[in-house]
Amino acid sequence: RYNPAITKAQAEDAAVKSMKGQVLYTELDEDDKVLFYEVTLISDDLKLYEITINATSGRVVKTEIKD
C-alpha cells in the first residue's frame, strides 16, 4: 500500500478552497498506483459535490456534482 504525501485534512482544505462548502466525508482511493482523496462536500448552495484531490500533489483533479 502506498502512503499519501498529503494528509486527509490537507486534501479537505484543498477541496473547500476550490468549492466553498462543508465536508461530509473523505476517502483515500488508488487508481493505477496513483493515490487520490475523494472529498464529498455539500456546497453553500446545497449541492452535493465529489472533489478528487491528487494525494501526492494536493491538486484538484476533478470536480463533479453527485445526484
Side-chain angles (χ1 to χ4, degrees):
R1 185 86 189 176
Y2 303 94
N3 291 323
I6 65 168
T7 65
K8 177 180 168 183
Q10 288 170 315
E12 291 172 350
D13 286 346
V16 170
K17 283 179 184 171
S18 75
M19 176 67 59
K20 300 285 185 235
Q22 180 177 350
V23 174
L24 299 177
Y25 57 90
T26 303
E27 296 177 334
L28 183 62
D29 197 12
E30 177 196 342
D31 187 24
D32 290 331
K33 298 183 181 179
V34 178
L35 287 178
F36 296 95
Y37 284 102
E38 293 176 341
V39 181
T40 301
L41 63 78
I42 188 161
S43 66
D44 290 345
D45 61 356
L46 303 180
K47 292 182 181 169
L48 197 61
Y49 287 88
E50 182 176 275
I51 301 173
T52 304
I53 309 290
N54 182 297
T56 301
S57 69
R59 293 190 177 164
V60 174
V61 177
K62 180 170 57 172
T63 300
E64 58 187 349
I65 296 176
K66 294 182 75 166
D67 293 329

